[in-house]
Each structure stands twice: as structure tokens, then as C-alpha cells.
């Protein structure tokens, strides 16, 4: 007996909310709100798909078109853009002329067609796909379809989406759709563990004003009872009570439990997995075999592939499939089948014996490899690996990696190619025709660099060199130049990229022109990274001449970008900025993504060096956006641009924006980029008064000095004793001296920060000679750093140089009050305040003003001290910098009132949440009312407490009422 409800139970409110957001009424004639999209979330089995089916019926009745794309749990198959391939397949069938018309304007769109992605089809064109053209092609296709009638695109199970699919969704969410197009993307909330990449993506999408979130919670007990009655009117009261208690409001669990208790047994198993498998026990043996076979394919399997694997006759297969579908184990689609719920398929697969799994995967390999059924190289690679057919797994993994790289999926490409290299470690493993280990290693290094895994790229190149037999000098040169580029990205003197690259240059003297030009171009870039500009220009001109002589535009554009970037230090900012657009244009025209990102990044840095924050923000944003669009957010220059943009926001006091940008950094991200971004995040969290770990990311200090600079500053400021402060200082200086060599500019900032923290933690008697020696040593280190810098350096360097002098005098006066005159001390702090005002670092300026005010108060100038303290306090409140607010209470001679006289500047969203907090609502209740996640509410509440200087929600509510921020609702400002 079928146990599924044909009515929608307990979801009327969610359906009406979806309809309202998308701009469609329950009656015909409703039209969508253009460019409005919805993220639909809920636990597995809670009813998302059933709700979307009801929504589909409603919008189709109103005259809309509806297309659905599915993200599948293919594990390591990792086929990029799968739901959009499904969309294109449907559209090519329904609207072939329209698809052909759009495809002519956007040729790379054709790479998504399923016929182009099956084994035996023509291999993809060489080179990376133009991700922008592909994305714009999808965008244009949706617009073209919607030009006829309104369009609803549903993308289901985005928690299984590959990175490339998530990038494309980001593009569609952020690129305005002028036509009547609406997108609904569903995902499982219970699948989003802390390291799941979709967590960060959902947070980014949710901040877009035209993207709304609708969450589906568990059904209430009464709704579950209604659903049970609809599914099985014969269910007893005890059975219903048991189901209500065990289902926990999950509609799928309800359906499965009802199915399990129906029939003569009417037995409710103790575990849901048992319930799922009970359904199989009621099927015929042939149907059970079919379902087990289907489970090895994953969630979904095509009819031709299943027919080839089962080896059943057409009639027998149809009969078995019909029983599986009618028993609601499988669902029939347009030429394929999938498990009614992923948990069911997983339970069936997990119940297989190890030998059964191997034999089933071997049958899939045979079917896919023989061409008797269509499939992708990624599918074949997965099945071959699980079948222990490693020769087939090797060839399929190589092809899957190349295909993923060709359409802009570096993470997936790296995964497949690294596995292929693991198989190639066996020298007896036969290679596919025309393939070589060196070519695979090169492709793997390139994919890893594009995905941000620089250290892994170094290891891959080194291991490939170690396995390289005596033979062609060209092969050695190829691996050496790949390794040299990877080493050059890392920050440590032990990584001698120049020597490795020099060897590559020598080894490639007799190589073919394309390889020789590439080696010379890479050598030019590596020399420029270490400021050997004259040598870089010499090799660069040779590489450029060879590239132009042999028509190698990608290499030529890389050299032009490198040489143009090198001119930054030898020409005026205006002239340099006038040169860079041509380099960017050339890189774009040649399809050299790396050169394009490099040129855009160096241009952005030129604005940053001048403390032109608006221009720097715009330029860095362009690099970050471009990297994301190309599917390379962790690639060289794209990641660095994100780091620098977050730093710009940090300096400008736009901490919420910085934290949002940094949400991409989650455990499981590439180690070095994660450490660099997280170090900025820790600085902000510490400045807001949060407890943060101190000794963190030290393994990356010598890999990238930027990590050390930020992480050490957090550690220094979090240390509570002079000994701990100095230990942190010594550790970071040792690491950076090895990574950058002595005389690095950041030594000035670190020394000034350390002197300031020593002045704060020395609260009692101290040994004078020891402290004098410490001051002398830190100042000497800083002076050494200054001497190695250009005579005229930027506002940042000038600010920290002035800060060093002020902090030095502050500490020497603490050591001996008579050693520093009042006028000298005040003038030093006045200079520091002016310099940081010019620099524009909001938090550091507030810290300087707070200390400067303290110096003024100590010398008797109370009015000036009060004015400075008020300025610092205003900045601290806006930032939510609670430790600084505490300090300022002491500076002004009285504790800063927690409900300060001036109204705190809250965002509109914060004021909404504050009103609900004051009304006694929990974070979960607030999230449901405002349609945002509980975690997002928690972040906002933390920000509100920091801005109000409150220690609890109750205190925040009291402050809000006293300041008139809330009454029964929010008071307009």
C-alpha cells in the first residue's frame, strides 16, 4: 500500500510566504518580482521537496514556466555545474531554437550540455573555459526563456553542490535579472556541519537584499497526526502516538514510519535505518537486487545505465522498477530514477556487504567503459576506484580532472588529478595513450594553485621531480618551473624559488619555444617577487620577444603584466596606473587568468600604498569579484585581494563588512589562506572584547609573514605579563627574520605594538636596567627596519614610526618620570595622533587618542584630555570596541556610562533585532520572525551588546529603553 499524502500538511504559511516573495498570487495572472530569489532550508525529510511541488503547481497554474535542476551526492565524482547541465538539457529539448540562438552568442555555454560531458564524446577544447562567458551565457539563457513567460528555476539539494555550481549561483544572485525570473535554491540545514562550504556561501547570499530565506521547521504534533491519518486511515491511536513521538515533526520520518507499521506486521522499529530497510524486505527479491544496484550509483541513476548494469530483460526491468516506484522506494523522472529520500539510498548502500559493493561498482565500470550506457568520466573514476579497478580509475581520473579544469572547476580538478598521481606512484601502472606523468603533475600543480593549495602544489612538484627518471631535459624543466612558481608564492627564505627557477632556465635552453618562453616568463615573475628588477627586465624582454615571435599570446600577456608591475617602484603612481589598464586588457584578451588577477591586484595595491581607501576598496573588490566569478577565490592574487580588502575594511572601521568578507575562511579551507584571513578576524574579535586563542596559526608564520604580523599582534595584545609579551615579540621576530630576512617593514609596527603593551601590563615595580635594555633593543629593531625602507614611504609607515617614538617615550617616562619632559612626551603623542589621522586607521587612531588623552591628563591639560577621550569613545562605540570603552572610562576620570548620553549608531537590522530582544524574544524566535538564521541573529546580538557596552541582553534592553531606541517598537531616528 502506498503511504504518501496528496495534500500539503502544515505548510500553508510557508507556501504563502514563498508565493508572496516571488510575486505570484494563488490565482492565475500573478507575475514574479523581477530578480527576487529564495533560499529554502530545512532538515532532511522535513518537506522541502513536497513544498516545492506545491509551489510548482501554483506557479504553473498562473502561467509560469518551471525548470528544476538537482545537485546530487556523487561523492568524489564532483561533476561541475550538474544542475545547470540538467537545465540546459531540458531547455534544449523544449526550446531548441532559443538555446541555439543564445549558444551562438555564448559558445562556452555548450560545455554544459550533457552530450558534451559523456564518455566517448569529443574532448573539451584545450584551455580553461571563459567562466564569465559561461556564467553570462546561463544568465542570458534565463532572460531569453523568461522573455516568453515568467520563469521559476528551482535548484534542489544545494548542500551537495560543487564549488563551481555555488559560484554560478552567486553570479546569478548578484547579477540583476531584468526579466521575470525567480530562483529558489533548497538545501539541508542538518547537513551543514561547521566545515561545510555552503555555510559561508549561504551567509554571503543572505546579505543580498534581493535574496530571502525561508526556513522549514518540524511539523507540530497536530500536523503529524493529520499527516498520519491522511497516509493511513487505519492507523491505531497507539501507532499514531508512537509515530508522533518518534518522527520529531519530520514528514519523511512520518511517511517511513507509517509505511513500516502498515501491513500484517505493523511493527515500529527502534532505529530509522531499520525502518528504511523494512521497506526493502517487502519487495520481491529481483526488486531488492535492483534497488541495491541503484544504491551503488548514488542518489540518481539513468535508465540506460541501470538497464546495462542489471542485465535484466526490458520487461523484467520495467516490472521491478514499477514495484520499486509504487512502493515509494524509487521515484521515476524523465529517463532516470532516484531514491525518494537520500537517507533511504544511503541505508540501502550501507547494508551491502563489502564484496557486494565491489562487484556492483565493477558492473558500473563495465557498462560505462564499454559505452553501453552514457556517463561522465567523473562517474567512471568513482566506480573504478570503488571496484578496485585502478587502471581504469587512473585514465578516468585524468580525464575527469582535465574536464573540470576546462570548465573552471579547480577544486574538483585538483581532487581527480591528485588521485591520478597517487596511482602513478606505481611505476607498473599503464598510462593512457598520449599521456605522461609530467603532464599530469603539471596539471595538478596548476589546479592546486588555482584552488589556493600552494603548499600541496609544492609537494606535488617535488614528488614528481623525485620520481622523474633520467631522460628528457624538457620534462625536468617543466616540473622545475612549476615548482619554482609554487615556491615563489610562499614566504620563507628556505623556499629558494630563484635557484629552482634558475635551474629551470638552464635546463630549458634546448627546449621547444613554447616551453622555453614559459620558463623565462615564470623566471621573470619570480625575480620581480624578490625585487631583482633589472634581472627580471632582462629575462622578461627575452621571454616577450620569443612569445611574440612564436605567437604565444598568453605568455606574452604574463610578461607584460610582470614588467608593468615592476615599473610600479620606478615611476610615478599616476603613470603606473595609466599603464595598467592596457596590461589587464591584454591578459583578458589572451585568456591568461593569472596575469589578469596579478595586474588588477598590483593596481589595487598602488592605491592602498597611498592610503586612498575608496580607490583601493574599489580595485580590490574587482579582484575579489573576478576571482570568485572565475571559480578561483583561493588562487594567487584573488585570495591576497580578499585579504587586503578585509584589511581595508578593518582599517576603515567597517568591521561588520570585514567579518562578512572573512566568512569564506572556515576550517577545511586551504591552510595558508585560512590562517591569513582568520588572523584579521581574530584582531577584530579581540578588539571587540571577545576571548580569542592567542598561540594560533604559528605553523604558517614562516610560510607567509602576513599571518605572523596579524596573529602576533593579537598574541602580544592578549598577553598579560611582560615576559609573555616579550616572548611573543621574540617568536614573531625570529620567524619573520627567517621568512623575510632582517629589516622588514612590519618590524616597526610589531615593535611599537610591543612597547605599548609593555606600558599597559607593567603595573608595579620593575627592574630598571632590564626594562631599559628591553626598550633599547626594541627601538633598535625598529630603526633597523626603517633604514631598509624607501626614504619617502607611505602614510602607514609614517604613522607607525610616529607611534614608535610616542610609545618609547611613554615607557621611558614610566621607567623614570624625570627622564622625559612633558613637552617632549605631548609632542610625540600629538605627532602620532596626526599621523594616524592621515593614515585613517579608525581603531588605532582611537587607541592613540585614548593614550594621548591619558598623557594630557597626567600633565594637567584636562580640557584637551576630555575632548580627545570623547573622540576616542565615539569611535569605540561605533566599532563596538568594549576594551577601549573600559579604558576610556578611566581616562576621563570616571567610568564611561553604559547608557551613554549620545544615541548609539545601530544599523536598521540591529534596531529591529534590538526591539525584539527588548520584547523578550529568543534568538530562534527572532530568526523565524525576520527570516534569518539563528546564527545570524546571534552575531547581530553580539554586535549590539558591544555597541551599547552591555554585558547581557537584559542590560541592553534597559539601555535601549533609556536611550529611546525602543518602546513598544523602534523609535524613528
Amino acid at each position: 500500500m502506498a503511504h504518501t499524502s496528496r495534500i500539503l500538511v502544515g505548510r500553508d504559511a510557508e507556501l504563502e510566504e514563498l508565493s508572496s516573495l516571488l510575486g505570484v498570487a494563488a490565482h492565475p495572472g500573478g507575475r514574479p518580482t523581477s530578480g527576487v530569489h529564495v533560499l529554502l532550508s530545512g532538515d532532511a525529510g522535513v518537506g522541502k521537496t513536497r513544498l516545492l511541488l506545491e509551489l510548482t503547481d501554483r506557479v504553473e497554474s498562473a502561467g509560469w514556466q518551471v525548470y528544476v535542476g538537482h545537485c546530487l551526492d556523487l561523492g568524489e565524482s564532483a561533476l561541475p555545474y550538474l544542475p545547470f547541465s540538467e537545465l540546459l538539457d531540458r531547455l534544449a529539448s523544449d526550446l531548441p531554437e532559443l538555446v541555439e540562438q543564445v549558444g551562438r552568442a555564448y559558445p562556452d555555454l555548450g560545455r554544459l550540455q550533457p552530450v558534451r560531458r559523456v564518455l566517448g564524446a569529443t574532448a573539451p577544447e584545450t584551455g580553461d573555459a571563459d567562466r564569465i562567458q559561461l556564467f553570462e551565457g546561463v544568465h542570458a539563457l534565463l532572460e531569453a526563456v523568461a522573455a516568453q513567460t515568467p520563469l521559476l528555476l528551482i535548484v534542489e539539494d544545494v548542500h551537495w553542490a560543487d564549488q563551481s555550481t555555488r559560484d554560478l549561483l552567486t553570479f546569478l544572485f548578484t547579477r540583476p535579472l531584468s526579466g521575470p525570473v525567480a530562483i529558489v535554491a533548497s538545501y539541508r540545514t542538518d547537513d551543514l556541519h561547521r566545515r561545510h562550504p555552503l555555510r559561508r556561501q549561504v551567509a554571503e547570499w543572505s546579505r543580498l537584499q534581493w535574496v530571502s530565506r525561508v526556513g522549514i521547521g518540524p511539523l507540530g504534533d497536530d500536523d503529524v497526526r493529520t499527516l498520519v491519518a491522511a497516509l493511513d486511515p487505519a492507523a491505531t491511536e497507539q501507532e499514531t502516538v508512537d509515530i508522533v513521538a518518534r518522527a520529531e515533526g519530520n514528514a519523511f520520518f512520518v511517511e517511513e514510519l507509517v509505511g513500516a507499521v502498515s501491513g500484517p506486521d505493523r511493527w515500529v522499529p527502534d532505529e530509522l535505518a531499520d525502518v528504511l530497510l523494512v521497506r526493502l524486505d517487502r519487495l520481491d527479491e529481483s526488486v531488492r537486487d535492483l534497488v541495491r544496484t541503484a544504491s551503488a550509483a548514488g542518489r540518481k541513476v539513468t535508465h540506460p545505465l541501470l538497464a546495462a548494469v542489471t542485465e535484466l530483460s526490458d520487461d523484467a526491468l520495467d516490472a521491478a522498477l514499477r514495484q520499486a516506484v509504487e512502493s515509494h522506494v524509487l521515484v521515476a523522472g524523465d529517463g532516470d530514477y532516484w531514491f525518494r529520500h537520500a537517507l533511504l539510498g544511503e541505508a540501502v548502500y550501507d547494508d551491502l556487504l563489502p564484496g557486494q559493493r565491489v562487484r556492483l561498482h565493477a558492473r558500473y565500470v563495465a557498462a560505462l567503459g564499454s559505452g553501453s550506457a552514457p556517463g561522465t568520466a567523473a562517474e567512471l573514476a568513482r566506480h573504478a576506484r570503488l571496484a578496485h579497478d585502478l587502471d581504469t580509475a587512473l585514465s578516468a581520473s585524468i580525464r575527469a580532472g582535465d574536464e573540470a579544469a576546462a570548465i573552471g572547476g579547480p577544486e574538483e580538478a585538483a581532487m581527480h588529478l591528485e588521485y591520478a598521481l597517487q596511482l602513478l606512484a606505481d611505476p607498473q601502472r599503464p598510462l593512457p595513450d598520449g599521456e605522461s606523468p609530467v603532464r599530469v603533475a603539471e596539471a595538478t600543480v596548476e589546479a592546486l594553485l588555482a584552488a589556493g593549495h600552494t603548499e600541496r602544489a609544492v609537494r606535488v612538484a617535488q614528488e614528481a621531480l623525485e620520481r622523474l627518471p633520467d631522460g628528457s631535459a624538457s620534462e625536468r624543466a617543466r616540473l622545475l618551473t612549476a615548482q619554482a612558481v609554487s615556491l615563489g608564492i610562499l614566504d620563507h627564505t628556505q623556499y629558494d624559488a630563484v635557484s629552482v627557477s634558475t635551474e629551470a632556465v638552464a635546463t630549458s635552453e634546448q627546449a621547444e619555444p613554447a616551453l622555453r618562453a614559459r620558463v623565462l616568463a615564470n623566471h621573470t615573475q619570480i625575480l620581480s617577487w624578490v625585487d631583482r628588477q633589472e634581472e627580471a627586465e632582462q629575462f622578461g624582454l627575452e621571454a616577450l620577444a620569443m612569445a611574440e615571435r612564436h605567437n604565444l599570446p598568453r605568455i606574452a600577456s604574463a610578461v607584460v603584466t610582470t614588467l608593468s608591475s615592476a615599473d610600479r617602484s620606478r615611476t610615478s603612481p599616476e603613470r603606473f596606473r595609466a599603464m595598467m589598464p592596457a596590461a589587464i586588457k591584454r591578459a583578458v584578451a589572451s585568456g591568461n587568468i593569472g596575469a589578469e588577477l596579478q595586474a588588477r591586484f598590483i593596481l589595487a595595491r598602488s592605491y592602498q600604498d597611498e592610503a586612498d581607501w575608496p580607490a583601493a576598496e574599489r580595485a580590490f573588490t574587482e579582484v575579489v569579484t573576478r576571482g570568485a566569478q572565475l571559480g578561483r577565490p583561493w588562487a594567487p592574487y584573488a585570495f591576497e585581494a580578499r585579504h587586503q580588502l578585509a584589511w581595508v575594511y578593518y582599517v576603515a572601521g567597517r568591521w561588520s563588512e570585514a567579518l562578512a568578507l572573512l566568512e569564506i575562511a572556515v576550517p577545511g579551507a586551504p591552510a595558508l589562506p585560512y590562517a591569513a584571513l582568520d588572523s584579521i578576524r581574530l584582531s577584530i574579535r579581540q578588539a571587540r572584547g571577545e576571548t580569542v586563542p592567542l598561540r594560533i596559526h604559528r605553523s604558517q608564520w614562516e610560510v607567509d609573514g602576513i599571518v605572523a604580523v596579524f596573529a602576533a599582534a593579537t598574541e602580544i595584545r592578549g598577553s598579560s605579563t611582560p615576559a609573555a609579551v616579550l616572548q611573543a615579540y621574540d617568536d614573531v621576530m625570529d620567524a619573520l627574520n627567517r621568512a623575510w630576512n632582517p629589516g622588514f617593514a612590519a618590524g616597526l609596527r610589531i615593535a611599537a605594538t610591543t612597547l605599548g603593551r609593555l606600558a599597559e601590563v607593567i603595573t608595579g615595580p620593575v627592574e630598571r636596567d632590564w626594562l631599559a635594555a628591553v626598550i633599547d633593543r626594541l627601538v633598535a629593531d625598529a630603526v633597523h627596519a626603517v633604514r631598509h625602507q624607501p626614504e619617502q614611504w607611505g602614510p602607514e609607515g609614517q604613522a607607525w614610526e610616529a607611534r614608535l617614538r610616542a610609545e618609547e617615550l611613554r615607557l621611558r617616562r614610566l621607567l623614570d618620570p624625570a627622564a622625559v619632559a612633558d613637552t617632549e612626551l605631548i609632542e610625540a603623542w600629538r605627532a602620532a595622533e596626526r599621523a594616524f589621522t592621515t593614515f585613517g586607521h579608525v581603531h588605532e587612531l582611537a587607541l592613540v587618542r585614548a593614550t594621548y588623552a591619558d598623557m594630557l591628563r597626567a600633565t594637567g591639560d584636562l580640557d584637551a584630555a576630555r575632548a580627545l577621550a570623547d573622540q576616542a569613545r565615539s569611535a569605540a562605540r561605533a566599532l563596538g570596541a568594549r576594551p577601549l570603552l573600559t579604558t576610556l572610562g578611566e581616562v576621563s576620570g570616571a567610568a564611561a556610562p553604559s547608557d551613554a548620553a549620545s544615541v548609539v549608531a545601530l544599523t536598521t537590522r540591529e534596531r529591529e533585532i534590538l526591539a525584539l530582544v527588548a520584547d523578550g524574544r529568543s534568538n530562534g524566535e527572532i530568526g523565524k520572525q525576520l527570516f534569518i538564521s539563528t546564527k545570524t541573529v546571534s552575531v547581530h546580538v553580539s554586535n549590539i551588546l558591544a555597541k551599547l557596552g552591555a554585558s547581557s541582553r537584559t542590560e541592553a534592553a534597559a539601555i535601549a529603553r533609556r536611550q529611546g531606541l525602543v518602546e513598544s517598537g523602534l523609535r524613528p531616528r
Side-chain angles (χ1 to χ4, degrees), residues 544 662 741 797 824 907 946:
L544 183 59
L662 296 168
N741 293 318
E824 183 181 15
T907 67

Side-chain angles (χ1 to χ4, degrees), residues 442-465:
E442 281 185 300
T444 306
V445 170
E446 184 176 349
L448 286 168
L449 291 178
H453 301 293
T454 309
E455 292 177 279
R456 279 164 55 189
V458 171
R459 290 197 299 272
V460 164
Q462 182 59 42
E463 291 166 1
L465 280 166

Side-chain angles (χ1 to χ4, degrees), residues 457-524:
V458 171
R459 290 197 299 272
V460 164
Q462 182 59 42
E463 291 166 1
L465 280 166
E466 292 170 355
R467 290 197 301 265
L468 187 66
D470 295 337
S472 168
S474 294
E475 289 190 331
R476 183 167 183 81
R478 290 163 65 182
L479 292 174
L480 285 169
T481 194
Q483 183 184 45
V485 171
S486 304
L487 289 169
I489 296 171
L490 301 175
D491 251 345
H492 197 301
T493 53
Q494 77 176 24
Y495 300 131
D496 191 354
V498 174
S499 294
V500 177
S501 187
T502 300
E503 184 182 352
V505 171
T507 308
S508 67
E509 285 183 353
Q510 303 303 317
E512 69 273 18
L515 175 57
R516 176 66 176 173
R518 176 155 58 92
V519 170
L520 292 173
N522 289 344
H523 193 55
T524 301

Side-chain angles (χ1 to χ4, degrees), residues 465-658:
L465 280 166
E466 292 170 355
R467 290 197 301 265
L468 187 66
D470 295 337
S472 168
S474 294
E475 289 190 331
R476 183 167 183 81
R478 290 163 65 182
L479 292 174
L480 285 169
T481 194
Q483 183 184 45
V485 171
S486 304
L487 289 169
I489 296 171
L490 301 175
D491 251 345
H492 197 301
T493 53
Q494 77 176 24
Y495 300 131
D496 191 354
V498 174
S499 294
V500 177
S501 187
T502 300
E503 184 182 352
V505 171
T507 308
S508 67
E509 285 183 353
Q510 303 303 317
E512 69 273 18
L515 175 57
R516 176 66 176 173
R518 176 155 58 92
V519 170
L520 292 173
N522 289 344
H523 193 55
T524 301
Q525 184 175 55
I526 290 166
L527 289 170
S528 72
W529 285 342
V530 295
D531 294 326
R532 292 164 61 169
Q533 303 301 347
E534 291 184 5
E535 294 176 75
E537 185 172 349
Q538 172 189 345
F539 284 98
L541 292 176
E542 181 182 352
L544 183 59
M546 182 173 287
E548 292 183 337
R549 186 165 61 249
H550 294 280
N551 191 27
L552 303 168
R554 288 168 63 92
I555 295 176
S557 71
V559 176
V560 168
T561 298
T562 299
L563 294 179
S564 299
S565 301
D567 284 341
R568 175 180 167 213
S569 62
R570 296 182 293 179
T571 187
S572 68
E574 293 76 16
R575 183 164 178 250
F576 167 76
R577 291 167 191 157
M579 295 165 46
M580 291 311 293
I584 295 172
K585 184 177 180 180
R586 184 166 186 165
V588 172
S590 69
N592 192 327
I593 295 171
E596 177 193 347
L597 294 176
Q598 178 187 7
R600 292 182 185 277
F601 176 80
I602 298 299
L603 177 61
R605 283 298 304 270
S606 73
Y607 293 114
Q608 183 185 33
D609 288 345
E610 299 294 317
D612 186 347
W613 304 123
E617 178 186 348
R618 289 193 299 271
F620 281 128
T621 299
E622 288 181 3
V623 189
V624 171
T625 302
R626 185 64 170 149
Q629 290 172 340
L630 295 167
R632 298 187 175 191
W634 299 115
Y637 300 110
F639 144 67
E640 285 88 344
R642 182 179 294 270
H643 182 276
Q644 294 296 337
L645 181 57
W647 184 82
V648 168
Y649 287 152
Y650 171 51
V651 168
R654 295 159 61 182
W655 288 356
S656 294
E657 292 172 83

Side-chain angles (χ1 to χ4, degrees), residues 58-115:
R58 175 171 290 191
V59 299
E60 286 181 340
S61 297
W64 293 33
Q65 305 170 83
V66 180
Y67 286 90
V68 182
H70 300 85
C71 302
L72 303 181
D73 184 16
L74 296 177
E76 295 173 4
S77 296
L79 186 65
Y81 309 116
L82 185 58
F84 292 95
S85 284
E86 184 178 357
L87 167 68
L88 192 59
D89 189 34
R90 282 278 312 279
L91 288 172
S93 175
D94 295 349
L95 304 167
E97 294 180 359
L98 185 146
V99 172
E100 183 179 356
Q101 177 185 352
V102 176
R104 285 196 296 269
Y106 300 91
D108 274 344
L109 184 63
R111 297 191 184 218
L112 295 182
Q113 288 183 286
V115 71

Side-chain angles (χ1 to χ4, degrees), residues 280 283-295 306 309-310 312 320 348 352 356 360 363:
L280 265 65
L283 301 176
D284 294 341
E285 183 62 32
S286 61
V287 182
R288 287 200 295 271
D289 286 342
L290 174 72
V291 171
R292 293 182 183 118
T293 301
S295 74
L306 190 58
V309 172
T310 60
L312 293 173
V348 174
L352 296 173
Q356 286 180 292
L360 283 175
R363 284 154 61 182

Side-chain angles (χ1 to χ4, degrees), residues 87 98 114 119 182 201 215 217 231 274 322 362 366 379 408 457 467 482 511 522 594 626 649 681 683 927-928 931-932:
L87 167 68
L98 185 146
L119 294 173
Q201 200 79 70
L231 294 169
D274 294 335
R322 180 172 296 280
E379 287 178 285
R467 290 197 301 265
N522 289 344
R626 185 64 170 149
Y649 287 152
R681 178 164 52 201
S683 298
K928 188 170 184 179
F931 307 112
I932 57 179

Side-chain angles (χ1 to χ4, degrees), residues 53 112 175 183 195 305 319 402 415 428 464 518 629 658 739 764:
L53 288 173
L112 295 182
R175 182 76 172 268
I183 301 175
R195 297 186 180 185
L305 181 56
D402 290 342
M415 180 192 70
Q428 303 303 316
R518 176 155 58 92
Q629 290 172 340

